[in-house]
Amino acid sequence: MAAAFTRRTEVACLTDFSSFDPLYSLSGLLVGALVGITGVGGGSLMTPLLVLVFGVHPATAVGTDLLYAAVTKTAGTAVHGMHGRINWRIVGCLAAGSVPAALLMLWLMAGVDRKSVEVAHTITTALGWLLVMTALMLVFRKQVLGFALRAIGERSPPKPVTVAIWTTVLGLALGILVTLTSVGAGALGVTVLLVLYPRLDVREIVGSDIVHAVPLTLIGGMGYWMIGEINWGMLFALLVGSIPGIIAGSLIAPKLHERTIRIVLALTLSVVAWKLLAT
């Protein structure tokens, strides 16, 4: 009885909008600007920021960031949809793997003690290694793609059904990673898609990846809400800052040297990853 009361009190705190903190909005503004400039998913930046700077529990940070991503990526979906940059076949194959994987991960998360040291360590460790991989992709994506495409070029082109199967497998992996850490659908997912679909326009790949991320992050975020791991006041504060931040970043991006920004961001993610893995 006492445990149930404690849990209800905890959930009430997470849904209390009186916890609105302007610092969250400032963080959302900075992260949104970086997303607008570099195109890197907000999860790579927001979740570590909430965990390391604000001391938010990893499970709550992931759940809140998933809903945050669902809202911000919906706007990106509208833009890409208007320009016809969505390949619905890719989206469908990704979702065929990611949605069941996300539901399975949510079921597993609901059955464990999310406040335990073991669960927090699992989330932060997975997040740290994914940030390392994201940083590497930011700096060496062209080299990785070149190596992969040369290796594939020496063989006969894969059949469409084979490509579809591998796309579904990618969706499965993204469903697990994104639901556990809120990271993975951006730099990593796009890189693999570029290898699987080398003849497609990069903008179509990016657009399809963003569209797929909307239902994935929404399902994940709603799942975390059902198990009591969403801080609504924090979510609202983040959105207040991030929306103008993304707009501002998108406007100033053409005036900046993207390569330099990506290197600085990769170094930042590497330091953050080291902090997470060292805890």
Side-chain angles (χ1 to χ4, degrees), residues 75-115:
T77 295
V79 173
H80 285 283
M82 287 188 296
H83 291 85
R85 298 173 184 166
I86 301 171
N87 187 311
W88 290 105
R89 187 169 181 269
I90 293 177
V91 174
C93 290
L94 288 172
S98 66
V99 171
L103 293 174
L104 175 61
M105 285 300 301
L106 290 170
W107 178 74
L108 292 174
M109 290 295 292
V112 300
D113 179 9
R114 292 176 300 282
K115 301 306 179 186

mmCIF file of all heavy atoms in Angstrom, residues 75-115:
data_model
loop_
_atom_site.group_PDB
_atom_site.id
_atom_site.type_symbol
_atom_site.label_atom_id
_atom_site.label_comp_id
_atom_site.label_asym_id
_atom_site.label_seq_id
_atom_site.Cartn_x
_atom_site.Cartn_y
_atom_site.Cartn_z
ATOM 1 N N ALA A 75 7.187 18.179 -37.131
ATOM 2 C CA ALA A 75 7.363 19.381 -37.959
ATOM 3 C C ALA A 75 8.266 19.073 -39.146
ATOM 4 O O ALA A 75 7.999 19.498 -40.280
ATOM 5 C CB ALA A 75 7.952 20.508 -37.117
ATOM 6 N N GLY A 76 9.338 18.300 -38.909
ATOM 7 C CA GLY A 76 10.224 17.921 -40.006
ATOM 8 C C GLY A 76 9.524 17.046 -41.027
ATOM 9 O O GLY A 76 9.763 17.152 -42.231
ATOM 10 N N THR A 77 8.618 16.185 -40.560
ATOM 11 C CA THR A 77 7.844 15.335 -41.469
ATOM 12 C C THR A 77 7.001 16.172 -42.412
ATOM 13 O O THR A 77 6.905 15.885 -43.613
ATOM 14 C CB THR A 77 6.935 14.389 -40.653
ATOM 15 O OG1 THR A 77 7.760 13.495 -39.907
ATOM 16 C CG2 THR A 77 6.028 13.591 -41.569
ATOM 17 N N ALA A 78 6.379 17.209 -41.875
ATOM 18 C CA ALA A 78 5.534 18.076 -42.700
ATOM 19 C C ALA A 78 6.350 18.741 -43.807
ATOM 20 O O ALA A 78 5.914 18.814 -44.960
ATOM 21 C CB ALA A 78 4.857 19.133 -41.820
ATOM 22 N N VAL A 79 7.548 19.199 -43.457
ATOM 23 C CA VAL A 79 8.405 19.873 -44.443
ATOM 24 C C VAL A 79 8.820 18.906 -45.552
ATOM 25 O O VAL A 79 8.702 19.202 -46.741
ATOM 26 C CB VAL A 79 9.650 20.468 -43.753
ATOM 27 C CG1 VAL A 79 10.622 21.016 -44.800
ATOM 28 C CG2 VAL A 79 9.239 21.566 -42.777
ATOM 29 N N HIS A 80 9.300 17.719 -45.165
ATOM 30 C CA HIS A 80 9.743 16.745 -46.165
ATOM 31 C C HIS A 80 8.570 16.231 -46.995
ATOM 32 O O HIS A 80 8.720 15.935 -48.184
ATOM 33 C CB HIS A 80 10.448 15.576 -45.478
ATOM 34 C CG HIS A 80 11.827 15.911 -45.002
ATOM 35 N ND1 HIS A 80 12.903 16.001 -45.844
ATOM 36 C CD2 HIS A 80 12.295 16.196 -43.756
ATOM 37 C CE1 HIS A 80 13.992 16.310 -45.147
ATOM 38 N NE2 HIS A 80 13.646 16.430 -43.881
ATOM 39 N N GLY A 81 7.399 16.122 -46.372
ATOM 40 C CA GLY A 81 6.214 15.673 -47.101
ATOM 41 C C GLY A 81 5.806 16.651 -48.182
ATOM 42 O O GLY A 81 5.445 16.256 -49.298
ATOM 43 N N MET A 82 5.880 17.927 -47.880
ATOM 44 C CA MET A 82 5.522 18.955 -48.859
ATOM 45 C C MET A 82 6.461 18.944 -50.061
ATOM 46 O O MET A 82 6.070 19.295 -51.172
ATOM 47 C CB MET A 82 5.522 20.338 -48.194
ATOM 48 C CG MET A 82 4.341 20.583 -47.261
ATOM 49 S SD MET A 82 4.255 22.306 -46.663
ATOM 50 C CE MET A 82 5.759 22.417 -45.714
ATOM 51 N N HIS A 83 7.713 18.526 -49.832
ATOM 52 C CA HIS A 83 8.686 18.497 -50.920
ATOM 53 C C HIS A 83 8.815 17.120 -51.558
ATOM 54 O O HIS A 83 9.682 16.904 -52.408
ATOM 55 C CB HIS A 83 10.057 18.949 -50.406
ATOM 56 C CG HIS A 83 10.131 20.402 -50.034
ATOM 57 N ND1 HIS A 83 9.757 20.880 -48.795
ATOM 58 C CD2 HIS A 83 10.510 21.490 -50.757
ATOM 59 C CE1 HIS A 83 9.932 22.187 -48.760
ATOM 60 N NE2 HIS A 83 10.379 22.586 -49.935
ATOM 61 N N GLY A 84 7.966 16.181 -51.171
ATOM 62 C CA GLY A 84 7.989 14.848 -51.754
ATOM 63 C C GLY A 84 9.254 14.068 -51.484
ATOM 64 O O GLY A 84 9.719 13.290 -52.323
ATOM 65 N N ARG A 85 9.837 14.246 -50.290
ATOM 66 C CA ARG A 85 11.111 13.602 -49.965
ATOM 67 C C ARG A 85 10.917 12.364 -49.079
ATOM 68 O O ARG A 85 11.769 12.064 -48.235
ATOM 69 C CB ARG A 85 12.027 14.586 -49.250
ATOM 70 C CG ARG A 85 12.410 15.810 -50.086
ATOM 71 C CD ARG A 85 13.168 16.798 -49.224
ATOM 72 N NE ARG A 85 13.479 18.016 -49.962
ATOM 73 C CZ ARG A 85 13.885 19.140 -49.380
ATOM 74 N NH1 ARG A 85 14.037 19.190 -48.062
ATOM 75 N NH2 ARG A 85 14.142 20.208 -50.100
ATOM 76 N N ILE A 86 9.826 11.668 -49.236
ATOM 77 C CA ILE A 86 9.546 10.511 -48.386
ATOM 78 C C ILE A 86 9.395 9.270 -49.260
ATOM 79 O O ILE A 86 8.611 9.261 -50.208
ATOM 80 C CB ILE A 86 8.264 10.723 -47.560
ATOM 81 C CG1 ILE A 86 8.393 11.977 -46.678
ATOM 82 C CG2 ILE A 86 7.989 9.505 -46.683
ATOM 83 C CD1 ILE A 86 7.109 12.375 -45.998
ATOM 84 N N ASN A 87 10.150 8.227 -48.942
ATOM 85 C CA ASN A 87 10.025 6.936 -49.598
ATOM 86 C C ASN A 87 9.249 6.030 -48.640
ATOM 87 O O ASN A 87 9.812 5.504 -47.673
ATOM 88 C CB ASN A 87 11.410 6.346 -49.910
ATOM 89 C CG ASN A 87 11.333 5.084 -50.736
ATOM 90 O OD1 ASN A 87 10.585 4.169 -50.432
ATOM 91 N ND2 ASN A 87 12.112 5.033 -51.808
ATOM 92 N N TRP A 88 7.965 5.851 -48.934
ATOM 93 C CA TRP A 88 7.107 5.138 -47.994
ATOM 94 C C TRP A 88 7.443 3.662 -47.904
ATOM 95 O O TRP A 88 7.139 3.008 -46.898
ATOM 96 C CB TRP A 88 5.644 5.344 -48.380
ATOM 97 C CG TRP A 88 5.191 6.744 -48.124
ATOM 98 C CD1 TRP A 88 4.975 7.715 -49.037
ATOM 99 C CD2 TRP A 88 4.934 7.347 -46.845
ATOM 100 N NE1 TRP A 88 4.600 8.892 -48.438
ATOM 101 C CE2 TRP A 88 4.556 8.693 -47.101
ATOM 102 C CE3 TRP A 88 4.989 6.880 -45.531
ATOM 103 C CZ2 TRP A 88 4.233 9.566 -46.050
ATOM 104 C CZ3 TRP A 88 4.666 7.754 -44.500
ATOM 105 C CH2 TRP A 88 4.300 9.081 -44.768
ATOM 106 N N ARG A 89 8.070 3.114 -48.923
ATOM 107 C CA ARG A 89 8.496 1.708 -48.855
ATOM 108 C C ARG A 89 9.572 1.536 -47.785
ATOM 109 O O ARG A 89 9.551 0.571 -47.007
ATOM 110 C CB ARG A 89 9.023 1.259 -50.218
ATOM 111 C CG ARG A 89 9.331 -0.239 -50.296
ATOM 112 C CD ARG A 89 9.593 -0.645 -51.743
ATOM 113 N NE ARG A 89 9.867 -2.076 -51.847
ATOM 114 C CZ ARG A 89 11.080 -2.613 -51.773
ATOM 115 N NH1 ARG A 89 12.132 -1.820 -51.591
ATOM 116 N NH2 ARG A 89 11.257 -3.916 -51.869
ATOM 117 N N ILE A 90 10.517 2.478 -47.742
ATOM 118 C CA ILE A 90 11.555 2.432 -46.714
ATOM 119 C C ILE A 90 10.937 2.614 -45.337
ATOM 120 O O ILE A 90 11.269 1.886 -44.385
ATOM 121 C CB ILE A 90 12.621 3.515 -46.972
ATOM 122 C CG1 ILE A 90 13.393 3.206 -48.252
ATOM 123 C CG2 ILE A 90 13.573 3.629 -45.788
ATOM 124 C CD1 ILE A 90 14.420 4.263 -48.625
ATOM 125 N N VAL A 91 10.040 3.579 -45.224
ATOM 126 C CA VAL A 91 9.381 3.843 -43.935
ATOM 127 C C VAL A 91 8.646 2.594 -43.450
ATOM 128 O O VAL A 91 8.731 2.210 -42.270
ATOM 129 C CB VAL A 91 8.405 5.027 -44.055
ATOM 130 C CG1 VAL A 91 7.608 5.203 -42.759
ATOM 131 C CG2 VAL A 91 9.159 6.308 -44.388
ATOM 132 N N GLY A 92 7.936 1.922 -44.369
ATOM 133 C CA GLY A 92 7.177 0.732 -43.996
ATOM 134 C C GLY A 92 8.076 -0.410 -43.545
ATOM 135 O O GLY A 92 7.786 -1.094 -42.553
ATOM 136 N N CYS A 93 9.189 -0.622 -44.258
ATOM 137 C CA CYS A 93 10.121 -1.690 -43.877
ATOM 138 C C CYS A 93 10.760 -1.402 -42.521
ATOM 139 O O CYS A 93 10.913 -2.305 -41.681
ATOM 140 C CB CYS A 93 11.208 -1.851 -44.940
ATOM 141 S SG CYS A 93 10.630 -2.563 -46.504
ATOM 142 N N LEU A 94 11.155 -0.151 -42.299
ATOM 143 C CA LEU A 94 11.735 0.216 -41.007
ATOM 144 C C LEU A 94 10.735 0.001 -39.875
ATOM 145 O O LEU A 94 11.070 -0.573 -38.828
ATOM 146 C CB LEU A 94 12.191 1.677 -41.025
ATOM 147 C CG LEU A 94 13.429 2.018 -41.850
ATOM 148 C CD1 LEU A 94 13.619 3.524 -41.927
ATOM 149 C CD2 LEU A 94 14.680 1.369 -41.264
ATOM 150 N N ALA A 95 9.504 0.457 -40.089
ATOM 151 C CA ALA A 95 8.472 0.351 -39.048
ATOM 152 C C ALA A 95 8.112 -1.103 -38.758
ATOM 153 O O ALA A 95 7.794 -1.459 -37.615
ATOM 154 C CB ALA A 95 7.228 1.125 -39.463
ATOM 155 N N ALA A 96 8.181 -1.967 -39.784
ATOM 156 C CA ALA A 96 7.874 -3.389 -39.585
ATOM 157 C C ALA A 96 8.820 -4.022 -38.567
ATOM 158 O O ALA A 96 8.451 -4.976 -37.871
ATOM 159 C CB ALA A 96 7.953 -4.134 -40.910
ATOM 160 N N GLY A 97 10.038 -3.496 -38.482
ATOM 161 C CA GLY A 97 10.976 -4.004 -37.489
ATOM 162 C C GLY A 97 10.987 -3.206 -36.207
ATOM 163 O O GLY A 97 11.064 -3.766 -35.108
ATOM 164 N N SER A 98 10.863 -1.882 -36.316
ATOM 165 C CA SER A 98 11.049 -1.030 -35.142
ATOM 166 C C SER A 98 9.858 -1.035 -34.184
ATOM 167 O O SER A 98 10.040 -0.994 -32.964
ATOM 168 C CB SER A 98 11.334 0.411 -35.581
ATOM 169 O OG SER A 98 10.210 0.981 -36.229
ATOM 170 N N VAL A 99 8.645 -1.072 -34.717
ATOM 171 C CA VAL A 99 7.467 -1.004 -33.841
ATOM 172 C C VAL A 99 7.374 -2.223 -32.918
ATOM 173 O O VAL A 99 7.230 -2.068 -31.698
ATOM 174 C CB VAL A 99 6.178 -0.825 -34.671
ATOM 175 C CG1 VAL A 99 4.935 -0.971 -33.783
ATOM 176 C CG2 VAL A 99 6.170 0.544 -35.355
ATOM 177 N N PRO A 100 7.478 -3.470 -33.445
ATOM 178 C CA PRO A 100 7.469 -4.617 -32.522
ATOM 179 C C PRO A 100 8.634 -4.577 -31.528
ATOM 180 O O PRO A 100 8.462 -4.934 -30.352
ATOM 181 C CB PRO A 100 7.584 -5.825 -33.456
ATOM 182 C CG PRO A 100 7.099 -5.339 -34.778
ATOM 183 C CD PRO A 100 7.511 -3.908 -34.850
ATOM 184 N N ALA A 101 9.816 -4.139 -31.990
ATOM 185 C CA ALA A 101 10.975 -4.064 -31.098
ATOM 186 C C ALA A 101 10.745 -3.042 -29.988
ATOM 187 O O ALA A 101 11.101 -3.279 -28.821
ATOM 188 C CB ALA A 101 12.228 -3.710 -31.894
ATOM 189 N N ALA A 102 10.150 -1.896 -30.341
ATOM 190 C CA ALA A 102 9.865 -0.866 -29.340
ATOM 191 C C ALA A 102 8.860 -1.373 -28.307
ATOM 192 O O ALA A 102 9.030 -1.150 -27.101
ATOM 193 C CB ALA A 102 9.333 0.396 -30.026
ATOM 194 N N LEU A 103 7.825 -2.067 -28.764
ATOM 195 C CA LEU A 103 6.825 -2.607 -27.842
ATOM 196 C C LEU A 103 7.455 -3.644 -26.909
ATOM 197 O O LEU A 103 7.124 -3.694 -25.711
ATOM 198 C CB LEU A 103 5.666 -3.221 -28.628
ATOM 199 C CG LEU A 103 4.814 -2.229 -29.427
ATOM 200 C CD1 LEU A 103 3.793 -2.977 -30.279
ATOM 201 C CD2 LEU A 103 4.113 -1.245 -28.500
ATOM 202 N N LEU A 104 8.346 -4.467 -27.446
ATOM 203 C CA LEU A 104 9.029 -5.463 -26.622
ATOM 204 C C LEU A 104 9.899 -4.778 -25.570
ATOM 205 O O LEU A 104 9.900 -5.174 -24.386
ATOM 206 C CB LEU A 104 9.887 -6.371 -27.499
ATOM 207 C CG LEU A 104 10.762 -7.397 -26.755
ATOM 208 C CD1 LEU A 104 9.892 -8.354 -25.947
ATOM 209 C CD2 LEU A 104 11.647 -8.159 -27.737
ATOM 210 N N MET A 105 10.642 -3.748 -25.972
ATOM 211 C CA MET A 105 11.489 -3.039 -25.015
ATOM 212 C C MET A 105 10.669 -2.360 -23.932
ATOM 213 O O MET A 105 11.057 -2.349 -22.749
ATOM 214 C CB MET A 105 12.345 -1.998 -25.753
ATOM 215 C CG MET A 105 13.500 -2.580 -26.541
ATOM 216 S SD MET A 105 14.659 -3.497 -25.493
ATOM 217 C CE MET A 105 15.159 -2.214 -24.350
ATOM 218 N N LEU A 106 9.521 -1.799 -24.304
ATOM 219 C CA LEU A 106 8.655 -1.158 -23.311
ATOM 220 C C LEU A 106 8.115 -2.186 -22.321
ATOM 221 O O LEU A 106 8.007 -1.915 -21.122
ATOM 222 C CB LEU A 106 7.502 -0.431 -24.012
ATOM 223 C CG LEU A 106 7.894 0.826 -24.790
ATOM 224 C CD1 LEU A 106 6.723 1.310 -25.643
ATOM 225 C CD2 LEU A 106 8.328 1.937 -23.825
ATOM 226 N N TRP A 107 7.774 -3.361 -22.835
ATOM 227 C CA TRP A 107 7.301 -4.434 -21.953
ATOM 228 C C TRP A 107 8.390 -4.842 -20.965
ATOM 229 O O TRP A 107 8.122 -5.058 -19.780
ATOM 230 C CB TRP A 107 6.872 -5.630 -22.804
ATOM 231 C CG TRP A 107 6.413 -6.820 -22.002
ATOM 232 C CD1 TRP A 107 5.246 -6.965 -21.322
ATOM 233 C CD2 TRP A 107 7.164 -8.029 -21.787
ATOM 234 N NE1 TRP A 107 5.198 -8.188 -20.693
ATOM 235 C CE2 TRP A 107 6.362 -8.859 -20.962
ATOM 236 C CE3 TRP A 107 8.406 -8.484 -22.215
ATOM 237 C CZ2 TRP A 107 6.782 -10.131 -20.554
ATOM 238 C CZ3 TRP A 107 8.826 -9.749 -21.815
ATOM 239 C CH2 TRP A 107 8.023 -10.550 -21.000
ATOM 240 N N LEU A 108 9.625 -4.921 -21.454
ATOM 241 C CA LEU A 108 10.742 -5.262 -20.572
ATOM 242 C C LEU A 108 10.986 -4.162 -19.546
ATOM 243 O O LEU A 108 11.224 -4.448 -18.358
ATOM 244 C CB LEU A 108 12.006 -5.498 -21.395
ATOM 245 C CG LEU A 108 12.009 -6.739 -22.300
ATOM 246 C CD1 LEU A 108 13.266 -6.760 -23.168
ATOM 247 C CD2 LEU A 108 11.921 -8.015 -21.465
ATOM 248 N N MET A 109 10.920 -2.892 -19.981
ATOM 249 C CA MET A 109 11.145 -1.777 -19.065
ATOM 250 C C MET A 109 10.066 -1.713 -17.994
ATOM 251 O O MET A 109 10.326 -1.345 -16.838
ATOM 252 C CB MET A 109 11.181 -0.459 -19.844
ATOM 253 C CG MET A 109 12.403 -0.281 -20.712
ATOM 254 S SD MET A 109 13.953 -0.153 -19.765
ATOM 255 C CE MET A 109 13.723 1.426 -18.951
ATOM 256 N N ALA A 110 8.830 -2.073 -18.363
ATOM 257 C CA ALA A 110 7.731 -2.050 -17.396
ATOM 258 C C ALA A 110 7.901 -3.115 -16.321
ATOM 259 O O ALA A 110 7.357 -2.974 -15.213
ATOM 260 C CB ALA A 110 6.400 -2.249 -18.114
ATOM 261 N N GLY A 111 8.660 -4.162 -16.615
ATOM 262 C CA GLY A 111 8.792 -5.276 -15.688
ATOM 263 C C GLY A 111 10.014 -5.227 -14.802
ATOM 264 O O GLY A 111 10.249 -6.166 -14.028
ATOM 265 N N VAL A 112 10.818 -4.150 -14.909
ATOM 266 C CA VAL A 112 12.034 -4.053 -14.091
ATOM 267 C C VAL A 112 11.939 -2.844 -13.166
ATOM 268 O O VAL A 112 11.099 -1.956 -13.361
ATOM 269 C CB VAL A 112 13.300 -3.937 -14.973
ATOM 270 C CG1 VAL A 112 13.447 -5.141 -15.864
ATOM 271 C CG2 VAL A 112 13.269 -2.650 -15.812
ATOM 272 N N ASP A 113 12.801 -2.822 -12.174
ATOM 273 C CA ASP A 113 12.882 -1.674 -11.273
ATOM 274 C C ASP A 113 13.729 -0.602 -11.945
ATOM 275 O O ASP A 113 14.958 -0.640 -11.923
ATOM 276 C CB ASP A 113 13.512 -2.098 -9.947
ATOM 277 C CG ASP A 113 13.641 -0.934 -8.960
ATOM 278 O OD1 ASP A 113 13.083 0.137 -9.249
ATOM 279 O OD2 ASP A 113 14.313 -1.115 -7.924
ATOM 280 N N ARG A 114 13.063 0.363 -12.558
ATOM 281 C CA ARG A 114 13.767 1.359 -13.362
ATOM 282 C C ARG A 114 14.615 2.308 -12.525
ATOM 283 O O ARG A 114 15.455 3.017 -13.061
ATOM 284 C CB ARG A 114 12.749 2.144 -14.211
ATOM 285 C CG ARG A 114 12.095 1.288 -15.279
ATOM 286 C CD ARG A 114 11.031 2.065 -16.036
ATOM 287 N NE ARG A 114 9.963 2.542 -15.176
ATOM 288 C CZ ARG A 114 8.975 1.790 -14.729
ATOM 289 N NH1 ARG A 114 8.918 0.498 -15.042
ATOM 290 N NH2 ARG A 114 8.038 2.293 -13.961
ATOM 291 N N LYS A 115 14.381 2.357 -11.231
ATOM 292 C CA LYS A 115 15.184 3.218 -10.362
ATOM 293 C C LYS A 115 16.412 2.504 -9.811
ATOM 294 O O LYS A 115 17.194 3.100 -9.066
ATOM 295 C CB LYS A 115 14.320 3.721 -9.188
ATOM 296 C CG LYS A 115 13.089 4.514 -9.618
ATOM 297 C CD LYS A 115 13.433 5.675 -10.526
ATOM 298 C CE LYS A 115 12.188 6.435 -10.971
ATOM 299 N NZ LYS A 115 12.509 7.474 -11.976
#
